[in-house]
Each structure stands twice: as structure tokens, then as C-alpha cells.
């Protein structure tokens, strides 16, 4: 029986889906952060449950050739990057393995080795930043939350964010300090400034700064805009997000534009998209393009084909498919995203796309009942995967192909299994890394209708 606070020698053999190292000690699975497969370590046990234990590495006894010195000064403090302690090669291999393991173990599939499309760059890639604001050692500041806490640690430069985001953060903190603007205290639910949110269009160079506040207006709004514009000359717009509710949601429901158009534009796959603070937009543009290209290539569209895109967001994949297909339909639950999607179609002169706002399950059911028979269904759901009514309705519509884009290999594998039990065959899976240094991974699985002889 493992004892808490005791140290044990152990060799790590793999990783959990959160990126923790996995080893076995006395027959029990033990998880520890910052471990690398193949390493022999001295592990201190911190917590023992009925089935698994958690520990931390006291000392690495035999070091992996993939171990590197973290390039970020905040590694281990900030809860953002999980893989600062290993090289990118090991990170890619563990992500590909994670997708393969999920498909095999949860999905019961055997699709062979899963290839991962690595990112060309692992730094400065995020086009969206969310900095919590709070008191740090008695001073107002902004940065990131300390791991597993809501304590704000000030950050000067985040290695995966754009430089503009850091400049907006620093200029906002400067404004807070200059005019003594109160920062939000989440325990007391008092104070004003909660978050600094930045979105950049990397292709267009446009930048949106959004200040999230526990109030309807800001003091010294004009001065804020001036200070932000001085810090980032290519700033496009400044928005206030009114967020007076308690809780962890970053953005509030109401927005007021303080300066500029209130939205920015960016380009993806040769198309132009309008983005508001709320619209879903993949945080890594270069890799999103490659993800969409791969997913659409697998769909094998041509002008005779109709494609249905469930969970379409602002219509990114839908409109990319529209270029190759006869017609496309996009479905999404957030009204504002659908409005953006319609405008995005217009903006790009795309006339063969229809969008409607609905729950994917209800929409799929209705389309199936109306006799809509798309040749291809593309799904790109949130982490929880697709619901059972979506599975059933997709099968009723009987498309030749289903292309499943996923941000969680476990739910992908579960859903693919359900589709396999209903006459579809998974023939190919691959992974794309949109989140270098972080534990998330995107994957794509192609399913084709089985021909009954
Ligand atoms: N394909 C898009 C968006 C993917 S994110 C892109 O790549 O940009 C998943 C989207 O599913 C989000 O926009 C979210 O609002 C939407 N969504 C979540 N639950 C939904 C549901 N039940 N029905 C329809 N859409 C849903």
C-alpha cells in the first residue's frame, strides 16, 4: 500500500490526457506533473485514492533526452503551458499517441498509427489572450492565475501570446494605476476591472482590446483609449464588456464599443471573417487553416455535393467548404455567431451557404425529417462531443461521409464507436497540433457509410 509523503523510485511509461506522467508503484497507477516517459524518478506521494495516486517528482534519477530547460520564466507557476519541461518532438509524439490510444481503447478501433501535423512555430501563436486583473502584493496588476488557484501572478511576456496582447495588458495596468481604477475582488464581488481580453487578426494586423468590468461604465474612458492606442498603434477597436454576475465566465453578456468598429477582421483559408469578442475563433490561425484544409480534403467535395456543418461557429469551416461544394448548410446554437456567419458569407461573396441558429440535435432531427440528404456531414463539437440525438439524426440523413473534427479524443472515440454500431466505418484519423506547449490536441476522423451487399 502506497503511503502519503513517502518517496518511491519509479519509471514513467506514458501520459494522462492532462499531460501528467504515468507510472506504476506497487501495482497502483501514479500520476505526476512534469514527468517524461522513460525517465526514472524519485516520486513523493501526495495523495492516495482507492484506485490511483498522485505524486510529485522529487528528483529525476535517469533523465530523458527530451527534457529541456523551460523557456518561460513563469513555467510551473502559471497554469497555462503543461509541456515546458520537454522538447516539442516529445510533445507531438505524446499527443499523437493520446489520439491513437483513445481511438483504440475507447473506440475499439484499429486505424493504425495516427500522424500529427506539428505546428511550424511553438511561440507567439495565440491570437486571443485573457488576462485576469487583481491585487498582487498590494498592487493592482494583471497576468495569469497561479496553477489551480485564482491568485493573479503578474506576467511581463507570455511566450505563446502575441506581443500586442502583452502591450495591451501593460497599458491597461498603467491606466488602472494612473487613475486608481478599482480592480475586481471576486471573493467580495466588489471593485471594477475583472479581465483584459485581447483578440488579434494575425493576417490583417487588426487588434481588439476588450476590458471586462463589473459595472456599466469605466472612469476615464477617453484616457484608456488614448493609452491603449499609444501602446499599440495598430489597435483597431476598444470594447467594454459589462459583466456584473459572479462566477468564472470571462466575458459578460453586454458589450459597448468605446472606440472603433467594435469588431475586427481576420483571414483564414483565403476568406475574410469578422470577429466580435464573443465569436468562437480558433486561437492558432496557421494551424486552424491546416486543420480545415485536411478536414475538407477528407470530405472529397465537388460542385454536385451538399455538405452540412453542425456546430459551425461563425461559419469558418462552412464557408471554406462552400468554395468546393454545390451547397452548404451551417448550424450553430449562438445567435450572434450565426449573424456573424451570415455576414461572413456576404463579405466573401458566397451565395451557396445557408445558416441557421439551433441546437445541433434539434436541427439535425428537423433536417432529417424534412428529407435533407447531405452527401457530407462535418461536425466540430465542443469537448463534450455530440449528443445521442445528433448521432441518430446523422445516421437517418445517411451521408456518404461524416468528417468529425474534435478537440477531445475521448469523446471523439466514444462517438465514432456509436456511429460504427450504426453502419459507418471509421477509415482514417489524424491529429493537428493547434496548442503547442499546452495539453489540448485537435483530431479528425473520417467515417464512410458501409455498403450493404
Ligand atoms: N467549427 C467552428 C466552431 C467550432 S467550436 C470553428 O472551427 O470555428 C464549437 C461550436 O459549437 C461553438 O461555436 C459553440 O457555440 C457551438 N455549440 C455548442 N453546443 C452546441 C449545440 N448544442 N448545438 C449547436 N452548436 C453548438
Amino acid at each position: 500500500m502506497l503511503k502519503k509523503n513517502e518517496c518511491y523510485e519509479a519509471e514513467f511509461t506514458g501520459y494522462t490526457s492532462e499531460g501528467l506522467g504515468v507510472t506504476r508503484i506497487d501495482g497502483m497507477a501514479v500520476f505526476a506533473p512534469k514527468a517524461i516517459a522513460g525517465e526514472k524518478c524519485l516520486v513523493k506521494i501526495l495523495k492516495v485514492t482507492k484506485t490511483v495516486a498522485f505524486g510529485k517528482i522529487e528528483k529525476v534519477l535517469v533523465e530523458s533526452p527530451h527534457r529541456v530547460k523551460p523557456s518561460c520564466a513563469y513555467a510551473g507557476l502559471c497554469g497555462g503551458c503543461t509541456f515546458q519541461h520537454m522538447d516539442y518532438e516529445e510533445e507531438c509524439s505524446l499527443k499523437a499517441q493520446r489520439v491513437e490510444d483513445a481511438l483504440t481503447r475507447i473506440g475499439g478501433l484499429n486505424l493504425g498509427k495516427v500522424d500529427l501535423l506539428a505546428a511550424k512555430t511553438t511561440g507567439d501563436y495565440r491570437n486571443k489572450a485573457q488576462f485576469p486583473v487583481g491585487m498582487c502584493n498590494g498592487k493592482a496588476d494583471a497576468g495569469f492565475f497561479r496553477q489551480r488557484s485564482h491568485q493573479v501572478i503578474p506576467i511581463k511576456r507570455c511566450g505563446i501570446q502575441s506581443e500586442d496582447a502583452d502591450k495591451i495588458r501593460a497599458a491597461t495596468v498603467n491606466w488602472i494605476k494612473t487613475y486608481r481604477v478599482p480592480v475586481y475582488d471576486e471573493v467580495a464581488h466588489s471593485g471594477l476591472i475583472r479581465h483584459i481580453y485581447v483578440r488579434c487578426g494575425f493576417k490583417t494586423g487588426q487588434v481588439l482590446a476588450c476590458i471586462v468590468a463589473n459595472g456599466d461604465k469605466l472612469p476615464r474612458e477617453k484616457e484608456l483609449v488614448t493609452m491603449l492606442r499609444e501602446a499599440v498603434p495598430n489597435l483597431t477597436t476598444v470594447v467594454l464588456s459589462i459583466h456584473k454576475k459572479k462566477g468564472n465566465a470571462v466575458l459578460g453578456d453586454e458589450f459597448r464599443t468605446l472606440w472603433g468598429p467594435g469588431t475586427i477582421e481576420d483571414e483564414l483559408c483565403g476568406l475574410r471573417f469578422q470577429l466580435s469578442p464573443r465569436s468562437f475563433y480558433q486561437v492558432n490561425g496557421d494551424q486552424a487553416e491546416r486543420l480545415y484544409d485536411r478536414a475538407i480534403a477528407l470530405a472529397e467535395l465537388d460542385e454536385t455535393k451538399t455538405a452540412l456543418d453542425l456546430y459551425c461557429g461563425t461559419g469558418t469551416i462552412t464557408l471554406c467548404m462552400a468554395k468546393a461544394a454545390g451547397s452548404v448548410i451551417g448550424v450553430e446554437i449562438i445567435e450572434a455567431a450565426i449573424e456573424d456567419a451570415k455576414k461572413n458569407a456576404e463579405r466573401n461573396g458566397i451565395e451557396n451557404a445557408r445558416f441557421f441558429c439551433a441546437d445541433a440535435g434539434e436541427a439535425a432531427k428537423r433536417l432529417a425529417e424534412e428529407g435533407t440528404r447531405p452527401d457530407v456531414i462535418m461536425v466540430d463539437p465542443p469537448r463534450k462531443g455530440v449528443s445521442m440525438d445528433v448521432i441518430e439524426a446523422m445516421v437517418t440523413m445517411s451521408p456518404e461521409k461524416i468528417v468529425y473534427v474534435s478537440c477531445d479524443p475521448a469523446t471523439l472515440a466514444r462517438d465514432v464507436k456509436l456511429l460504427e454500431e450504426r453502419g459507418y466505418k471509421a477509415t482514417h484519423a489524424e491529429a493537428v497540433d493547434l496548442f503547442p506547449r499546452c495539453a489540448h490536441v485537435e483530431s479528425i476522423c473520417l467515417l464512410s457509410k458501409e455498403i450493404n451487399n
Side-chain angles (χ1 to χ4, degrees):
M1 181 68 185
L2 288 184
K3 284 210 190 90
K4 193 176 160 180
N5 292 327
E6 288 278 308
C7 287
Y8 299 83
E9 256 188 53
E11 187 172 332
F12 284 86
T13 51
Y15 303 91
T16 67
S17 54
E18 289 85 27
L20 301 176
V22 179
T23 182
R24 283 193 96 77
I25 307 174
D26 288 351
M28 189 175 237
V30 179
F31 307 135
K34 293 191 215 128
I36 301 181
E39 283 186 337
K40 201 177 257 181
C41 300
L42 198 59
V43 182
K44 183 173 180 178
I45 300 299
L46 301 177
K47 187 178 170 188
V48 185
T49 72
K50 271 191 195 147
T51 46
V52 297
F54 295 87
K56 75 170 199 180
I57 297 179
E58 284 287 288
K59 195 170 181 212
V60 180
L61 303 171
V62 179
E63 194 176 280
S64 161
H66 295 292
R67 187 168 280 278
V68 297
K69 197 168 160 289
S71 60
C72 174
Y74 311 100
L77 276 180
C78 149
C81 296
T82 310
F83 299 127
Q84 284 281 339
H85 61 289
M86 63 175 66
D87 61 21
Y88 189 49
E89 187 188 341
E90 177 70 2
E91 180 185 331
C92 288
S93 116
L94 84 84
K95 285 177 172 174
Q97 192 64 48
R98 182 178 154 205
V99 176
E100 194 176 313
D101 286 350
L103 291 170
T104 319
R105 291 183 196 156
I106 304 170
L109 304 161
N110 183 9
L111 298 174
K113 190 174 164 302
V114 170
D115 286 327
L116 175 131
L117 203 55
K120 288 179 186 154
T121 159
T122 59
D124 305 351
Y125 66 83
R126 282 186 61 97
N127 57 29
K128 183 179 94 173
Q130 305 179 139
F131 303 108
V133 179
M135 296 304 280
C136 314
N137 304 321
K139 286 189 200 143
D141 220 320
F144 290 117
F145 286 135
R146 185 183 285 275
Q147 261 183 20
R148 292 179 293 280
S149 93
H150 270 200
Q151 184 193 346
V152 174
I153 42 174
I155 297 264
K156 289 219 159 31
R157 181 78 188 96
C158 166
I160 59 171
Q161 294 290 354
S162 72
E163 224 174 323
D164 281 346
D166 279 327
K167 287 182 184 163
I168 296 283
R169 184 192 39 70
T172 310
V173 170
N174 198 3
W175 166 79
I176 289 173
K177 286 182 174 164
T178 307
Y179 298 105
R180 297 177 197 250
V181 183
V183 302
Y184 181 64
D185 175 338
E186 69 175 14
V187 179
H189 190 52
S190 64
L192 192 62
I193 309 300
R194 297 175 73 133
H195 265 89
I196 302 163
Y197 173 108
V198 186
R199 184 160 245 176
C200 307
F202 281 173
K203 289 263 171 72
T204 56
Q206 298 185 10
V207 178
L208 173 146
C210 175
I211 309 299
V212 186
N214 174 34
D216 298 301
K217 57 181 197 303
L218 300 176
R220 307 279 188 166
E221 284 177 359
K222 270 198 190 120
E223 287 82 351
L224 168 68
V225 170
T226 307
M227 287 170 88
L228 292 177
R229 290 180 68 188
E230 270 167 16
V232 176
N234 50 312
L235 184 66
T236 314
T237 189
V238 182
V239 178
L240 165 68
S241 167
I242 299 163
H243 185 3
K244 293 192 275 192
K245 284 191 199 143
K246 285 186 182 171
N248 290 339
V250 173
L251 295 173
D253 296 327
E254 231 184 291
F255 294 87
R256 183 158 62 80
T257 302
L258 304 182
W259 175 75
T263 56
I264 55 166
E265 289 195 335
D266 198 24
E267 263 175 41
L268 208 58
C269 304
L271 298 174
R272 225 166 154 93
F273 292 94
Q274 176 177 302
L275 309 169
S276 46
R278 278 306 277 277
S279 11
F280 178 90
Y281 191 60
Q282 287 287 6
V283 298
N284 184 336
D286 283 347
Q287 286 298 92
E289 278 188 339
R290 299 172 86 195
L291 173 76
Y292 297 165
D293 279 349
R294 289 298 309 143
I296 294 168
L298 290 171
E300 292 187 299
L301 294 165
D302 62 49
E303 59 283 1
T304 65
K305 301 213 164 125
T306 301
L308 171 63
D309 183 15
L310 297 173
Y311 311 88
C312 71
T314 55
T316 40
I317 302 182
T318 333
L319 296 175
C320 292
M321 287 201 291
K323 293 194 288 184
S327 66
V328 292
I329 308 167
V331 174
E332 157 68 42
I333 200 159
I334 293 182
E335 186 76 54
I338 280 295
E339 289 311 311
D340 282 345
K342 286 178 185 164
K343 283 190 213 139
N344 286 331
E346 253 174 63
R347 178 175 279 106
N348 291 288
I350 291 175
E351 289 175 350
N352 58 344
R354 273 195 297 143
F355 289 98
F356 56 96
C357 182
D359 165 70
E362 281 164 22
K365 191 162 171 265
R366 200 169 76 224
L367 288 166
E369 280 164 7
E370 282 170 5
T372 306
R373 294 283 176 265
D375 302 284
V376 171
I377 299 182
M378 176 80 64
V379 284
D380 182 10
R383 251 172 256 167
K384 65 178 183 211
V386 305
S387 52
M388 204 57 206
D389 49 347
V390 173
I391 299 269
E392 299 292 4
M394 287 202 291
V395 172
T396 307
M397 282 186 269
S398 185
E400 268 166 51
K401 289 187 167 74
I402 298 173
V403 182
Y404 194 136
V405 178
S406 160
C407 50
D408 185 336
T411 53
L412 168 75
R414 177 202 68 196
D415 294 343
V416 167
K417 186 168 186 228
L418 292 170
L419 288 164
E420 282 227 324
E421 287 160 3
R422 289 163 177 75
Y424 280 82
K425 178 108 199 88
T427 50
H428 175 82
E430 59 187 89
V432 183
D433 187 26
L434 270 71
F435 309 100
R437 316 277 78 194
C438 304
H440 299 298
V441 61
E442 291 278 323
S443 44
I444 313 170
C445 186
L446 171 67
L447 294 118
S448 301
K449 193 162 64 179
E450 285 194 294
I451 313 291
N452 296 323
N453 295 317

